[in-house]
């Protein structure tokens, strides 16, 4: 509700999407201007999408897709992952085909994050309860009754943001690393990464030689999230935004670990991309075995280490973790090959603050400065200091001159 109110105060249009109407909060249902209930994805929908983006010939690769009758296994999230600027229609259809096959196999094998409600599973499933939380009944969650009983892969809760394009004259977007003041070493790291990414795309530099893992720390309000958005625009790659608090919304340890894994999988699906993990200190540190809930938190830390190691071995994923409390992060997360580059963004000094205002206000700064000036004819005269009999300035004269 807080995020919705913040968006509405800024006159942002809000579109809320959910696969199951039961999962929509009452506040949205009551206050929404329009409530639409759509059907499942189908072949005509993909035809319209391809023709709208690529023209009448865009559907040709779809006609050659032999298993296109299985498109009902796709979700809106799959479509977002497939359709990206710069991809050809054939590449989009190939990705859709792979996602469809993956979802179809998952549905056939009964893969799901949820426990079986009737307990009829032949194998035992380990699922540690989240500390401080009561057990939740999740038997109906994620079930699509209209699809024959199969369960879709649920999204991780991450948000995918596409970069703003450069101008026709090559000028960067208004929010870009090149024009953003006040970031010091973080800006230098980002510009170096942009140059390396250009070399990587030109097959000059291998991905393993690039610095693609960053831990960004600083007090609240110093612009860590803004830095990620600017980096997205400068590199012209998608930004996948998540947070540890989003991961920890799972009721059991298995839910949390699956959310973490899906976030990295969703980011790899749109690679090259930036994965921005906010509040990364929430992962915590590994605990001694005798501590309460040690198995839970050690499992979360170990999963994070595994995923970061996997990101290092692959190509195309830039990982930026943000925190207000770097001392609360497990040292293993900051070792070489993981979040090895640590840059702190300090609070801006007076000169930097002036640059930040100048950047964001733009032409409005001149207007504000003009409105704040006192006309010359109305400026009070500054009394000239006259020496007293002993040759020193009087107290009143000195105070006048000093305050002026």
């Amino acid at each position: 509700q807080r995020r919705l109110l913040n968006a509405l105060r800024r006159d942002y249009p809000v579109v809320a999407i959910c696969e199951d109407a039961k999962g929509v909060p009452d506040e949205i249902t009551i206050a929404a201007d329009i409530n639409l209930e759509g059907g499942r994805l189908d072949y005509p929908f993909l035809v319209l999408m391809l023709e709208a983006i690529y023209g009448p010939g865009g559907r040709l690769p779809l006609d050659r897709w032999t298993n296109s009758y299985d498109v009902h296994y796709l979700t809106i999230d799959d479509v977002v992952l497939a359709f990206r600027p710069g991809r050809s229609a054939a590449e989009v259809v190939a990705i859709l085909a792979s996602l469809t096959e993956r979802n179809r196999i998952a549905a056939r094998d009964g893969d799901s994050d949820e426990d079986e409600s009737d307990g009829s599973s032949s194998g035992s499933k380990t699922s540690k309860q989240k500390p401080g939380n009561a057990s939740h009944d999740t038997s109906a969650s994620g079930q699509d009754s209209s699809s024959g009983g199969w369960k879709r892969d649920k999204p991780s809760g991450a948000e995918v943001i596409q970069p703003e394009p450069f101008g026709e004259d090559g000028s960067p977007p208004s929010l870009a690393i090149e024009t953003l003041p006040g970031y010091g070493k973080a800006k230098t790291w980002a510009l170096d990464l942009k140059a390396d990414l250009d070399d990587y795309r030109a097959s000059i530099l291998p991905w393993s030689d690039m610095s693609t893992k960053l831990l960004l720390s600083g007090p609240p309000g110093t612009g860590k999230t803004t830095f990620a958005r600017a980096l997205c625009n400068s590199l012209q790659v998608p930004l996948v935004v998540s947070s540890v608090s989003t991961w920890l919304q799972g009721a059991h340890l298995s839910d949390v670990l699956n959310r973490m894994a899906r976030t990295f999988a969703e980011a790899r699906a749109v690679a090259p991309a930036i994965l921005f993990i906010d509040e990364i200190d929430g992962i915590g540190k590994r605990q001694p075995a005798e501590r309460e809930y040690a198995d839970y938190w050690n499992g979360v830390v170990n999963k994070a280490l595994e995923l970061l190691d996997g990101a290092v071995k692959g190509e195309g994923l830039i990982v930026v973790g943000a925190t207000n409390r770097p001392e609360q992060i497990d040292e293993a997360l900051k070792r070489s090959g993981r979040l090895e580059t640590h840059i702190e963004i300090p609070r801006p000094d007076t000169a930097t603050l002036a640059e930040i205002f100048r950047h964001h206000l733009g032409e409005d700064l001149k207007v504000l400065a003009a409105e704040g000036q006192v006309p010359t004819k109305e400026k009070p005269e500054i009394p000239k200091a006259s020496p007293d009999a002993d040759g020193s300035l009087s107290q009143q004269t000195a105070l006048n001159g000093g305050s002026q």
Side-chain angles (χ1 to χ4, degrees), residues 390-404:
D390 60 357
S392 63
L393 296 179
S394 67
Q395 183 180 11
Q396 184 63 39
T397 304
L399 286 174
N400 285 340
S403 64
Q404 186 64 34

Side-chain angles (χ1 to χ4, degrees), residues 63-392:
D63 293 337
R64 294 192 290 268
W65 181 9
T66 56
N67 291 335
S68 58
Y69 52 82
D70 281 338
V71 295
H72 62 275
Y73 285 110
L74 292 172
T75 68
I76 286 292
D77 299 301
D78 295 328
V79 175
V80 173
L81 293 176
F83 284 89
R84 279 185 53 207
R87 280 183 177 162
S88 66
E91 291 173 325
V92 170
V93 171
I95 293 173
L96 289 172
S98 298
L99 292 171
T100 299
E101 181 64 14
R102 187 198 66 169
N103 294 349
R104 187 187 65 80
I105 293 174
R108 181 196 64 192
D109 297 341
D111 289 350
S112 173
D113 295 336
E114 312 296 348
D115 296 334
E116 295 296 329
S117 59
D118 58 2
S120 60
S121 177
S122 59
S124 62
K125 180 175 179 179
T126 302
S127 181
K128 298 184 186 300
Q129 186 175 320
K130 183 176 180 179
N133 275 20
S135 179
H136 296 282
D137 180 11
T138 55
S139 60
S141 176
Q143 182 79 25
D144 186 350
S145 59
S146 64
S147 59
W150 61 273
K151 298 181 179 180
R152 294 176 174 175
D153 284 347
K154 294 191 298 184
S156 68
E159 179 185 6
V160 181
I161 300 173
Q162 296 295 337
E164 300 175 17
F166 276 63
E168 295 181 358
D169 58 351
S171 59
S174 58
L175 184 61
I177 292 296
E178 293 86 343
T179 59
L180 206 60
Y183 282 96
K185 294 180 180 179
K187 182 174 182 177
T188 301
W189 177 87
L191 293 177
D192 289 343
L193 176 60
K194 181 180 180 181
D196 289 346
L197 187 59
D198 290 339
D199 290 342
Y200 168 76
R201 286 167 169 162
S203 301
I204 299 174
L205 183 70
W207 186 269
S208 57
D209 288 350
M210 298 168 55
S211 176
T212 57
K213 308 294 182 294
L214 173 67
L215 176 61
L216 205 59
S217 66
T222 48
K224 298 183 287 293
T225 305
T226 301
F227 175 84
R229 293 292 301 270
L231 184 64
C232 162
N233 290 337
S234 293
L235 300 186
Q236 288 293 288
V237 298
L239 172 65
V240 181
V241 180
S242 188
S243 66
V244 173
S245 62
T246 300
W247 294 345
L248 295 178
Q249 288 176 5
H252 299 85
L253 177 60
S254 59
D255 301 328
V256 175
L257 301 185
N258 283 328
R259 278 176 176 262
M260 296 170 67
R262 282 204 186 104
T263 299
F264 277 77
E266 290 169 6
R268 282 195 300 268
V270 295
I274 304 164
L275 173 57
F276 179 72
I277 308 171
D278 202 5
E279 305 167 352
I280 197 168
D281 53 276
I283 292 176
K285 297 182 178 181
R286 284 171 290 187
Q287 304 293 323
E290 62 272 12
R291 291 283 296 273
E292 188 177 16
Y293 301 123
D295 288 348
Y296 182 96
W297 292 111
N298 291 345
V300 173
V301 174
N302 290 335
K303 187 63 175 180
L305 297 175
E306 174 192 332
L307 293 171
L308 284 174
D309 289 341
V312 170
K313 295 175 184 177
E315 294 186 1
L317 197 56
I318 300 162
V319 181
V320 178
T323 177
N324 302 332
R325 303 176 299 171
E327 70 280 357
Q328 298 295 324
I329 297 177
D330 195 285
E331 290 299 321
L333 289 170
K334 298 185 282 187
R335 287 177 188 161
S336 177
R338 294 162 183 165
L339 300 178
E340 57 188 4
T341 303
H342 178 198
I343 298 177
E344 180 181 2
I345 301 178
R347 295 190 184 278
D349 54 23
T350 304
T352 304
L353 200 58
E355 288 295 323
I356 293 173
F357 279 127
R358 186 175 292 110
H359 170 76
H360 289 287
L361 290 174
E363 293 297 322
D364 293 339
L365 182 62
K366 298 178 182 179
V367 177
L368 292 172
E371 290 177 351
Q373 290 178 355
V374 180
T376 305
K377 62 181 180 180
E378 296 180 7
K379 286 184 179 179
E381 292 186 3
I382 301 175
K384 294 182 178 180
S386 57
D388 291 337
D390 60 357
S392 63

